[in-house]
Amino acid sequence: MQETEQSEKDMIGSLLDEDESKCSEFRSSITKSQQHSQSQSPVKSFKDLKEAKEIPLLLDDAGQQEFPSNDPNNFYFTVQSAFIQQRQHSLSHEFHQYMVPQPPLYYPCQDGFFSQKRTKKLQSSADSEQTISQQCQDQYASLNIQQSFIQGNDFQKDKIFKALIEDLPLLAKHKFGNYVIQKIIENSNQNIRTLIFEQLHPFIIEMCYDKFGCRVIQRLLEFIQNHQKIQLIQSIKSQVLNLIFDQCGNHVIQKIIDLASDAEFIIDIVTNNVDHIVSHSYGCRIAQKCLEIFPNQKLQQLYISLIPLCEKLSFCQYGNYIVQHMINQGPPKGLEVIGKYIKARILEVSQDKYASIVAQKYITVANDDDIASICKILINDYYPPMLLILINNQFGNYVMQNFYQKCNDKQKQSIQIQINKFEDHQFTQFGRHFLQFLARCHAC
């Protein structure tokens, strides 16, 4: 009973405190309205209320009354529990579904999950009136064409290729079209590859300098026959030196060195221009590729040209890679020359950003006599000793770590005695790195 009175008081509000007669009339009207509402079909959801148009859902005018009528007989419309619940809990499931847009759906595709927008674009691109060549220049349609060519039968592949053959030079240099040409080269027979080569041959040099065209040329070199490779090389032979210094063209030269059997002429070009090539950001990669691929008997002239330059190249940002390769795989004469100037300039070499890497590489392959010579140079009576200078250097401390690992027990003991002569405040942050390295070595 108390709960009923409390609910009535909450519903009626201040009327209970003003006039008891008005409250009794109002209470009787509510009772009648509840009896009438039980005879009607219940409203199941907020959506049903909207469809029934029994009450206004949204107020277009700020001054409009929220309830349809002030008549107490119609009050059951305004106090329906379902409506009040929806108004109080506006983020309920049905209301949220009605008001808030849903996130985009994702549909599976053969090469991953595409968004709804991308999937529709793929479907519309395939059904559009554009030609296949024009579709290859679209980001999403080109993917569709690539999949169609890979998974299609011979008839479908021929149809796609015949539609593209006239526009091959244009598509090979296109941002998206070049991928279509590459897939056709990979997944077609030798006859189609021959037709592609013949169609692109007049534009070989132009494509080698192109950001996307050079990729098509590299793919051609992987799949065409040997006589076609020779023909391609002859077409670009006059431009090899310029291609070596080009950001895109040097990749074509690297692919020729990797795949072509008749590429020894590149060694002569590198040998004649060794000073410029090995110190260039792109040219040094060509020199490295020659040293990696060709046997030593074909590289004798190149080694003869490189040995006098090793000391200079050690301090070069790109040339140091050539010196490192000569330490690992070069002739004994080259290793001897490199070791001679490293021992003579150990303090200067070890403190340089690039030459310190060469020094570390040399120490890893040095014999016991070379290690003993370096140890004798580092442990001296000068103040401060070279050992302390290198330990406190940001590059030299790495050289000393490698050197310490190559020393024998007696040499290690001499290094520790030399270090113990100095206090902790005489070591920089790099010197402390070396001390931590020594602690790890003793802990093992």
Coordinates of all heavy atoms in Angstrom, one line a residue, residues 142-216:
S142 N 42.8 -2.7 -61.1 CA 44.0 -3.5 -61.5 C 44.2 -4.7 -60.7 O 44.7 -5.7 -61.2 CB 45.3 -2.5 -61.4 OG 45.5 -2.2 -60.0
L143 N 43.9 -4.7 -59.4 CA 43.9 -5.9 -58.6 C 43.0 -7.0 -59.1 O 43.3 -8.1 -59.1 CB 43.6 -5.5 -57.1 CG 44.6 -4.6 -56.3 CD1 44.0 -4.2 -55.0 CD2 45.9 -5.4 -56.1
N144 N 41.8 -6.5 -59.5 CA 40.8 -7.5 -60.0 C 41.3 -8.1 -61.3 O 41.2 -9.3 -61.5 CB 39.5 -6.7 -60.3 CG 38.3 -7.7 -60.4 OD1 38.4 -8.9 -60.1 ND2 37.2 -7.1 -60.9
I145 N 42.0 -7.3 -62.2 CA 42.5 -7.9 -63.4 C 43.7 -8.8 -63.2 O 43.8 -9.9 -63.8 CB 42.9 -6.7 -64.3 CG1 41.7 -5.9 -64.8 CG2 43.7 -7.2 -65.6 CD1 42.0 -4.6 -65.5
Q146 N 44.5 -8.5 -62.2 CA 45.6 -9.4 -61.9 C 45.1 -10.8 -61.4 O 45.6 -11.8 -61.8 CB 46.5 -8.8 -60.8 CG 47.2 -7.6 -61.2 CD 48.0 -6.9 -60.0 OE1 48.7 -7.6 -59.2 NE2 47.8 -5.6 -59.9
Q147 N 44.1 -10.8 -60.5 CA 43.5 -12.0 -60.0 C 42.8 -12.8 -61.2 O 42.9 -14.0 -61.2 CB 42.5 -11.7 -58.9 CG 43.1 -11.2 -57.6 CD 44.1 -12.2 -57.0 OE1 43.8 -13.4 -57.1 NE2 45.1 -11.7 -56.4
S148 N 42.2 -12.0 -62.1 CA 41.5 -12.7 -63.2 C 42.5 -13.4 -64.1 O 42.3 -14.5 -64.6 CB 40.7 -11.7 -64.0 OG 39.7 -11.1 -63.2
F149 N 43.7 -12.7 -64.3 CA 44.7 -13.3 -65.2 C 45.3 -14.5 -64.5 O 45.6 -15.6 -65.2 CB 45.7 -12.3 -65.6 CG 46.7 -12.7 -66.6 CD1 46.4 -12.5 -68.0 CD2 47.8 -13.4 -66.3 CE1 47.2 -12.9 -69.0 CE2 48.7 -13.8 -67.3 CZ 48.4 -13.6 -68.6
I150 N 45.6 -14.4 -63.2 CA 46.2 -15.6 -62.5 C 45.3 -16.8 -62.5 O 45.8 -17.9 -62.7 CB 46.7 -15.1 -61.1 CG1 47.7 -14.0 -61.2 CG2 47.2 -16.3 -60.3 CD1 48.1 -13.4 -59.9
Q151 N 44.0 -16.6 -62.2 CA 43.1 -17.7 -62.0 C 42.4 -18.1 -63.3 O 41.6 -19.1 -63.2 CB 42.2 -17.4 -60.9 CG 42.8 -17.1 -59.5 CD 41.9 -16.7 -58.5 OE1 40.7 -16.6 -58.7 NE2 42.4 -16.4 -57.3
G152 N 42.5 -17.3 -64.3 CA 41.7 -17.6 -65.5 C 42.3 -18.7 -66.4 O 43.5 -19.1 -66.2
N153 N 41.5 -19.2 -67.3 CA 42.0 -20.2 -68.3 C 42.7 -19.5 -69.4 O 42.9 -18.3 -69.5 CB 40.8 -21.1 -68.8 CG 39.7 -20.2 -69.3 OD1 39.9 -19.2 -69.9 ND2 38.5 -20.6 -69.1
D154 N 43.2 -20.3 -70.4 CA 44.0 -19.8 -71.5 C 43.2 -18.8 -72.3 O 43.7 -17.8 -72.8 CB 44.5 -20.9 -72.4 CG 45.5 -21.8 -71.7 OD1 46.1 -21.3 -70.7 OD2 45.7 -23.0 -72.1
F155 N 41.9 -19.1 -72.5 CA 41.1 -18.2 -73.3 C 40.9 -16.8 -72.6 O 41.1 -15.8 -73.3 CB 39.7 -18.8 -73.5 CG 38.7 -17.9 -74.2 CD1 38.8 -17.7 -75.6 CD2 37.7 -17.2 -73.5 CE1 37.9 -16.8 -76.2 CE2 36.8 -16.3 -74.1 CZ 36.9 -16.1 -75.5
Q156 N 40.7 -16.8 -71.3 CA 40.6 -15.6 -70.6 C 41.9 -14.8 -70.6 O 41.9 -13.6 -70.7 CB 40.1 -15.8 -69.2 CG 38.7 -16.4 -69.1 CD 38.3 -16.9 -67.7 OE1 39.2 -17.3 -66.9 NE2 37.0 -16.9 -67.4
K157 N 43.0 -15.5 -70.4 CA 44.3 -14.8 -70.4 C 44.6 -14.2 -71.8 O 45.1 -13.1 -71.8 CB 45.4 -15.9 -70.1 CG 45.4 -16.3 -68.6 CD 46.5 -17.3 -68.4 CE 46.5 -17.7 -66.9 NZ 47.6 -18.7 -66.6
D158 N 44.3 -14.9 -72.8 CA 44.5 -14.3 -74.2 C 43.6 -13.1 -74.4 O 44.1 -12.1 -75.0 CB 44.2 -15.4 -75.3 CG 45.2 -16.5 -75.3 OD1 46.3 -16.2 -74.8 OD2 44.9 -17.6 -75.8
K159 N 42.4 -13.1 -73.9 CA 41.5 -12.0 -74.1 C 42.1 -10.8 -73.3 O 42.1 -9.6 -73.9 CB 40.1 -12.3 -73.5 CG 39.1 -11.2 -73.7 CD 37.8 -11.7 -73.2 CE 36.7 -10.5 -73.3 NZ 35.4 -10.9 -72.8
I160 N 42.6 -11.0 -72.1 CA 43.1 -9.8 -71.3 C 44.4 -9.3 -72.0 O 44.6 -8.1 -72.2 CB 43.4 -10.3 -69.9 CG1 42.1 -10.6 -69.2 CG2 44.2 -9.2 -69.1 CD1 42.3 -11.2 -67.8
F161 N 45.3 -10.2 -72.5 CA 46.5 -9.8 -73.1 C 46.3 -9.0 -74.4 O 47.0 -8.0 -74.6 CB 47.4 -11.0 -73.3 CG 48.7 -10.6 -73.9 CD1 49.7 -9.9 -73.3 CD2 49.0 -11.0 -75.3 CE1 50.9 -9.6 -73.9 CE2 50.2 -10.7 -75.9 CZ 51.1 -10.0 -75.2
K162 N 45.4 -9.5 -75.2 CA 45.1 -8.8 -76.5 C 44.5 -7.4 -76.2 O 44.8 -6.5 -77.1 CB 44.1 -9.7 -77.3 CG 44.8 -10.9 -77.9 CD 43.7 -11.8 -78.6 CE 44.4 -13.1 -79.2 NZ 43.4 -13.9 -79.9
A163 N 43.8 -7.3 -75.2 CA 43.3 -5.9 -74.9 C 44.3 -5.0 -74.4 O 44.1 -3.7 -74.4 CB 42.2 -6.1 -73.8
L164 N 45.5 -5.5 -73.9 CA 46.5 -4.6 -73.3 C 47.7 -4.5 -74.2 O 48.6 -3.6 -73.9 CB 47.0 -5.2 -72.0 CG 45.9 -5.4 -70.9 CD1 46.6 -6.0 -69.7 CD2 45.3 -4.1 -70.5
I165 N 47.9 -5.3 -75.2 CA 49.2 -5.3 -76.0 C 49.5 -4.0 -76.6 O 50.7 -3.6 -76.7 CB 49.1 -6.4 -77.0 CG1 50.5 -6.6 -77.6 CG2 48.1 -6.2 -78.1 CD1 50.6 -7.9 -78.5
E166 N 48.5 -3.2 -77.0 CA 48.8 -1.9 -77.7 C 49.3 -0.9 -76.7 O 49.9 0.1 -77.1 CB 47.6 -1.4 -78.4 CG 47.1 -2.4 -79.6 CD 48.2 -2.4 -80.7 OE1 49.0 -1.5 -80.8 OE2 48.2 -3.5 -81.4
D167 N 48.9 -1.0 -75.4 CA 49.2 0.0 -74.4 C 50.3 -0.5 -73.4 O 50.4 0.1 -72.4 CB 47.9 0.3 -73.6 CG 46.8 0.9 -74.5 OD1 47.2 1.7 -75.4 OD2 45.6 0.6 -74.3
L168 N 51.0 -1.5 -73.8 CA 52.1 -2.0 -72.9 C 53.1 -1.0 -72.5 O 53.4 -0.8 -71.3 CB 52.7 -3.2 -73.5 CG 51.9 -4.5 -73.5 CD1 52.8 -5.6 -74.2 CD2 51.6 -5.0 -72.1
P169 N 53.6 -0.1 -73.4 CA 54.6 0.9 -73.0 C 54.1 1.9 -72.0 O 54.8 2.3 -71.1 CB 55.0 1.6 -74.3 CG 54.7 0.5 -75.4 CD 53.5 -0.2 -74.9
L170 N 52.8 2.2 -72.2 CA 52.1 3.2 -71.2 C 51.9 2.5 -69.9 O 52.2 3.1 -68.8 CB 50.8 3.7 -71.8 CG 49.9 4.5 -70.9 CD1 50.7 5.8 -70.6 CD2 48.6 4.8 -71.6
L171 N 51.4 1.3 -69.9 CA 51.0 0.7 -68.6 C 52.3 0.3 -67.8 O 52.3 0.2 -66.6 CB 50.2 -0.6 -68.9 CG 48.8 -0.3 -69.5 CD1 48.1 -1.7 -69.8 CD2 47.9 0.5 -68.5
A172 N 53.4 0.0 -68.5 CA 54.6 -0.4 -67.9 C 55.2 0.7 -67.0 O 55.9 0.4 -66.0 CB 55.7 -0.9 -68.9
K173 N 54.9 1.9 -67.4 CA 55.4 3.1 -66.6 C 54.3 3.7 -65.7 O 54.5 4.7 -65.1 CB 55.9 4.2 -67.5 CG 57.1 3.7 -68.3 CD 57.7 4.9 -69.1 CE 56.8 5.4 -70.2 NZ 57.5 6.5 -70.9
H174 N 53.2 3.0 -65.6 CA 52.1 3.5 -64.8 C 52.2 3.0 -63.3 O 52.7 1.9 -63.1 CB 50.7 3.1 -65.4 CG 49.6 3.9 -64.7 ND1 48.9 3.4 -63.7 CD2 49.0 5.1 -65.0 CE1 47.9 4.2 -63.3 NE2 48.0 5.2 -64.1
K175 N 51.7 3.8 -62.4 CA 51.8 3.5 -61.0 C 51.1 2.2 -60.6 O 51.6 1.4 -59.8 CB 51.1 4.6 -60.2 CG 51.2 4.5 -58.7 CD 50.6 5.7 -58.0 CE 50.6 5.5 -56.5 NZ 50.0 6.7 -55.8
F176 N 50.0 1.9 -61.2 CA 49.3 0.6 -61.0 C 49.4 -0.4 -62.1 O 49.3 -1.6 -61.9 CB 47.8 0.9 -60.7 CG 47.6 1.9 -59.6 CD1 47.0 3.1 -59.8 CD2 48.1 1.6 -58.3 CE1 46.8 4.0 -58.8 CE2 47.9 2.6 -57.3 CZ 47.2 3.8 -57.5
G177 N 49.5 0.1 -63.3 CA 49.5 -0.7 -64.5 C 50.7 -1.6 -64.6 O 50.7 -2.7 -65.1
N178 N 51.9 -1.2 -64.0 CA 53.1 -2.0 -64.1 C 52.9 -3.3 -63.3 O 53.6 -4.3 -63.7 CB 54.3 -1.2 -63.5 CG 54.3 -1.1 -62.0 OD1 54.9 -1.9 -61.3 ND2 53.7 -0.1 -61.5
Y179 N 52.1 -3.3 -62.3 CA 51.9 -4.6 -61.5 C 51.1 -5.6 -62.4 O 51.4 -6.8 -62.3 CB 51.1 -4.3 -60.3 CG 51.9 -3.5 -59.3 CD1 51.6 -2.1 -59.0 CD2 53.0 -4.0 -58.5 CE1 52.3 -1.4 -58.1 CE2 53.7 -3.3 -57.6 CZ 53.4 -1.9 -57.4 OH 54.1 -1.2 -56.5
V180 N 50.2 -5.1 -63.2 CA 49.5 -6.0 -64.1 C 50.5 -6.6 -65.1 O 50.4 -7.8 -65.4 CB 48.4 -5.2 -64.8 CG1 47.6 -6.1 -65.8 CG2 47.4 -4.6 -63.8
I181 N 51.4 -5.8 -65.7 CA 52.3 -6.3 -66.7 C 53.2 -7.3 -66.0 O 53.6 -8.4 -66.6 CB 53.1 -5.2 -67.3 CG1 52.2 -4.1 -67.9 CG2 54.1 -5.7 -68.4 CD1 51.2 -4.6 -68.9
Q182 N 53.7 -7.1 -64.8 CA 54.5 -8.0 -64.1 C 53.8 -9.4 -63.9 O 54.4 -10.4 -64.0 CB 55.0 -7.4 -62.8 CG 55.9 -6.2 -62.9 CD 56.4 -5.8 -61.6 OE1 57.0 -6.5 -60.8 NE2 56.3 -4.5 -61.3
K183 N 52.6 -9.3 -63.5 CA 51.8 -10.6 -63.3 C 51.6 -11.3 -64.6 O 51.7 -12.6 -64.6 CB 50.5 -10.2 -62.6 CG 50.5 -9.8 -61.2 CD 51.1 -10.8 -60.3 CE 51.2 -10.3 -58.8 NZ 51.8 -11.3 -57.9
I184 N 51.4 -10.6 -65.6 CA 51.3 -11.3 -66.9 C 52.6 -12.0 -67.3 O 52.6 -13.1 -67.8 CB 50.9 -10.3 -68.0 CG1 49.4 -9.8 -67.7 CG2 51.0 -10.9 -69.4 CD1 49.0 -8.7 -68.7
I185 N 53.7 -11.3 -67.1 CA 55.0 -11.9 -67.4 C 55.3 -13.2 -66.5 O 55.8 -14.2 -67.0 CB 56.2 -10.9 -67.2 CG1 56.0 -9.7 -68.2 CG2 57.5 -11.5 -67.3 CD1 57.0 -8.6 -67.9
E186 N 54.9 -13.1 -65.3 CA 55.1 -14.2 -64.4 C 54.2 -15.4 -64.7 O 54.7 -16.6 -64.6 CB 54.9 -13.8 -62.9 CG 55.9 -12.8 -62.4 CD 55.5 -12.3 -61.0 OE1 54.5 -12.9 -60.4 OE2 56.2 -11.4 -60.5
N187 N 53.0 -15.2 -65.1 CA 52.0 -16.3 -65.2 C 51.6 -16.6 -66.7 O 50.5 -17.0 -66.9 CB 50.8 -15.9 -64.4 CG 51.1 -15.7 -62.9 OD1 51.1 -16.6 -62.2 ND2 51.3 -14.4 -62.5
S188 N 52.4 -16.3 -67.6 CA 52.1 -16.6 -69.0 C 53.2 -17.5 -69.6 O 54.2 -17.8 -69.0 CB 52.0 -15.2 -69.8 OG 53.3 -14.5 -69.8
N189 N 52.9 -17.9 -70.9 CA 53.9 -18.8 -71.6 C 54.9 -17.9 -72.3 O 54.9 -16.7 -72.3 CB 53.1 -19.7 -72.6 CG 52.2 -18.9 -73.5 OD1 52.7 -17.8 -74.0 ND2 51.0 -19.3 -73.7
Q190 N 55.9 -18.6 -72.9 CA 57.0 -18.0 -73.5 C 56.6 -17.1 -74.7 O 57.3 -16.1 -75.0 CB 58.1 -19.0 -73.9 CG 59.5 -18.4 -74.0 CD 60.0 -17.8 -72.8 OE1 59.8 -18.4 -71.7 NE2 60.6 -16.7 -72.8
N191 N 55.6 -17.5 -75.4 CA 55.1 -16.8 -76.6 C 54.6 -15.4 -76.2 O 55.0 -14.4 -76.8 CB 54.0 -17.5 -77.3 CG 54.5 -18.8 -77.9 OD1 55.7 -18.9 -78.3 ND2 53.6 -19.8 -78.1
I192 N 53.9 -15.3 -75.1 CA 53.4 -14.0 -74.7 C 54.5 -13.2 -74.2 O 54.6 -11.9 -74.4 CB 52.3 -14.2 -73.6 CG1 51.0 -14.9 -74.1 CG2 52.0 -12.9 -72.9 CD1 50.0 -15.1 -73.1
R193 N 55.5 -13.8 -73.5 CA 56.6 -13.0 -73.0 C 57.4 -12.5 -74.2 O 58.0 -11.3 -74.1 CB 57.5 -13.9 -72.1 CG 56.9 -14.3 -70.8 CD 57.7 -15.4 -70.1 NE 57.0 -15.9 -68.9 CZ 57.3 -17.0 -68.3 NH1 58.2 -17.8 -68.8 NH2 56.6 -17.3 -67.2
T194 N 57.5 -13.2 -75.2 CA 58.3 -12.7 -76.4 C 57.5 -11.5 -77.0 O 58.2 -10.5 -77.4 CB 58.4 -13.9 -77.4 OG1 59.1 -15.0 -76.9 CG2 59.1 -13.4 -78.7
L195 N 56.2 -11.6 -77.1 CA 55.4 -10.5 -77.6 C 55.6 -9.2 -76.7 O 55.7 -8.1 -77.2 CB 54.0 -10.9 -77.7 CG 53.6 -11.9 -78.8 CD1 52.1 -12.3 -78.7 CD2 53.9 -11.4 -80.2
I196 N 55.6 -9.4 -75.4 CA 55.8 -8.3 -74.5 C 57.2 -7.7 -74.7 O 57.4 -6.5 -74.8 CB 55.7 -8.8 -73.1 CG1 54.2 -9.2 -72.8 CG2 56.1 -7.6 -72.1 CD1 54.0 -9.8 -71.4
F197 N 58.2 -8.5 -74.9 CA 59.6 -8.0 -75.1 C 59.7 -7.3 -76.4 O 60.3 -6.2 -76.4 CB 60.6 -9.2 -75.1 CG 62.0 -8.8 -75.5 CD1 62.8 -8.2 -74.5 CD2 62.5 -9.1 -76.7 CE1 64.1 -7.8 -74.9 CE2 63.7 -8.7 -77.1 CZ 64.6 -8.1 -76.2
E198 N 59.1 -7.8 -77.4 CA 59.1 -7.1 -78.7 C 58.4 -5.7 -78.7 O 58.8 -4.7 -79.3 CB 58.5 -7.9 -79.8 CG 59.4 -9.2 -80.1 CD 58.7 -10.1 -81.1 OE1 57.5 -9.8 -81.5 OE2 59.3 -11.1 -81.5
Q199 N 57.3 -5.7 -77.9 CA 56.5 -4.5 -77.8 C 57.3 -3.4 -77.0 O 57.2 -2.2 -77.2 CB 55.2 -4.8 -77.1 CG 54.1 -3.7 -77.3 CD 53.6 -3.6 -78.7 OE1 53.8 -4.4 -79.5 NE2 52.9 -2.5 -78.9
L200 N 58.0 -3.8 -76.0 CA 58.7 -2.9 -75.1 C 60.2 -2.6 -75.5 O 60.8 -1.6 -75.0 CB 58.7 -3.5 -73.6 CG 57.4 -3.7 -73.0 CD1 57.6 -4.2 -71.6 CD2 56.6 -2.4 -72.9
H201 N 60.7 -3.4 -76.4 CA 62.1 -3.2 -76.8 C 62.5 -1.8 -77.2 O 63.5 -1.2 -76.9 CB 62.5 -4.2 -77.8 CG 64.0 -4.2 -78.1 ND1 64.5 -3.6 -79.3 CD2 65.0 -4.8 -77.5 CE1 65.8 -3.7 -79.3 NE2 66.1 -4.4 -78.2
P202 N 61.7 -1.1 -78.0 CA 62.0 0.2 -78.5 C 62.1 1.3 -77.3 O 62.6 2.3 -77.5 CB 60.9 0.6 -79.5 CG 60.4 -0.7 -79.9 CD 60.4 -1.6 -78.7
F203 N 61.5 0.9 -76.2 CA 61.4 1.9 -75.1 C 62.2 1.4 -73.9 O 62.0 1.8 -72.7 CB 59.9 2.0 -74.6 CG 59.0 2.3 -75.7 CD1 58.3 1.3 -76.4 CD2 58.8 3.6 -76.1 CE1 57.4 1.6 -77.4 CE2 57.9 3.9 -77.2 CZ 57.2 2.9 -77.8
I204 N 63.2 0.5 -74.1 CA 64.0 -0.1 -73.0 C 64.7 1.0 -72.2 O 64.6 1.0 -71.0 CB 65.0 -1.1 -73.6 CG1 64.2 -2.4 -74.1 CG2 66.0 -1.5 -72.5 CD1 63.5 -3.1 -73.0
I205 N 65.5 1.8 -72.9 CA 66.3 2.8 -72.1 C 65.4 3.8 -71.4 O 65.7 4.1 -70.2 CB 67.2 3.6 -73.1 CG1 68.2 2.7 -73.8 CG2 67.9 4.8 -72.4 CD1 69.1 3.3 -74.8
E206 N 64.3 4.2 -72.0 CA 63.4 5.1 -71.3 C 62.8 4.5 -70.1 O 62.6 5.1 -69.0 CB 62.3 5.5 -72.3 CG 61.2 6.5 -71.7 CD 60.1 6.8 -72.7 OE1 60.3 6.4 -73.9 OE2 59.1 7.4 -72.3
M207 N 62.5 3.2 -70.1 CA 61.9 2.5 -69.0 C 62.9 2.2 -67.9 O 62.5 2.2 -66.7 CB 61.3 1.2 -69.5 CG 60.0 1.4 -70.4 SD 59.4 -0.2 -71.0 CE 59.0 -1.0 -69.5
C208 N 64.2 2.1 -68.2 CA 65.2 1.9 -67.2 C 65.3 3.0 -66.3 O 65.7 2.9 -65.1 CB 66.5 1.6 -67.9 SG 66.6 -0.1 -68.7
Y209 N 65.1 4.2 -66.8 CA 65.2 5.4 -65.9 C 63.8 5.7 -65.2 O 63.8 6.7 -64.4 CB 65.5 6.6 -66.8 CG 67.0 6.6 -67.3 CD1 67.3 6.3 -68.6 CD2 68.0 7.0 -66.4 CE1 68.6 6.3 -69.0 CE2 69.3 7.0 -66.9 CZ 69.6 6.7 -68.2 OH 70.9 6.7 -68.6
D210 N 62.8 5.0 -65.5 CA 61.5 5.2 -64.9 C 61.3 4.5 -63.6 O 61.8 3.3 -63.4 CB 60.4 4.9 -65.9 CG 59.0 5.2 -65.4 OD1 58.7 6.4 -65.4 OD2 58.3 4.3 -64.9
K211 N 60.6 5.1 -62.6 CA 60.4 4.5 -61.3 C 59.7 3.2 -61.4 O 60.0 2.2 -60.6 CB 59.7 5.5 -60.4 CG 59.4 5.0 -59.0 CD 58.7 6.1 -58.2 CE 58.4 5.6 -56.8 NZ 57.7 6.7 -56.0
F212 N 58.7 3.1 -62.2 CA 57.9 1.8 -62.4 C 58.3 1.0 -63.5 O 58.2 -0.2 -63.5 CB 56.4 2.2 -62.5 CG 55.9 3.1 -61.4 CD1 55.6 4.4 -61.6 CD2 55.8 2.6 -60.1 CE1 55.2 5.2 -60.6 CE2 55.3 3.4 -59.0 CZ 55.0 4.7 -59.3
G213 N 58.8 1.6 -64.6 CA 59.2 0.9 -65.8 C 60.4 0.0 -65.5 O 60.5 -1.1 -66.1
C214 N 61.3 0.4 -64.6 CA 62.5 -0.4 -64.3 C 62.1 -1.7 -63.6 O 62.8 -2.7 -63.8 CB 63.5 0.4 -63.4 SG 62.9 0.7 -61.7
R215 N 61.0 -1.7 -63.0 CA 60.5 -3.0 -62.3 C 60.1 -4.0 -63.4 O 60.3 -5.2 -63.3 CB 59.4 -2.7 -61.4 CG 59.7 -1.7 -60.3 CD 58.5 -1.4 -59.4 NE 58.8 -0.4 -58.4 CZ 58.0 0.1 -57.5 NH1 56.7 -0.4 -57.5 NH2 58.3 1.0 -56.7
V216 N 59.5 -3.5 -64.4 CA 59.0 -4.4 -65.5 C 60.2 -4.9 -66.3 O 60.3 -6.1 -66.6 CB 58.1 -3.6 -66.5 CG1 57.7 -4.5 -67.7 CG2 56.9 -3.1 -65.8

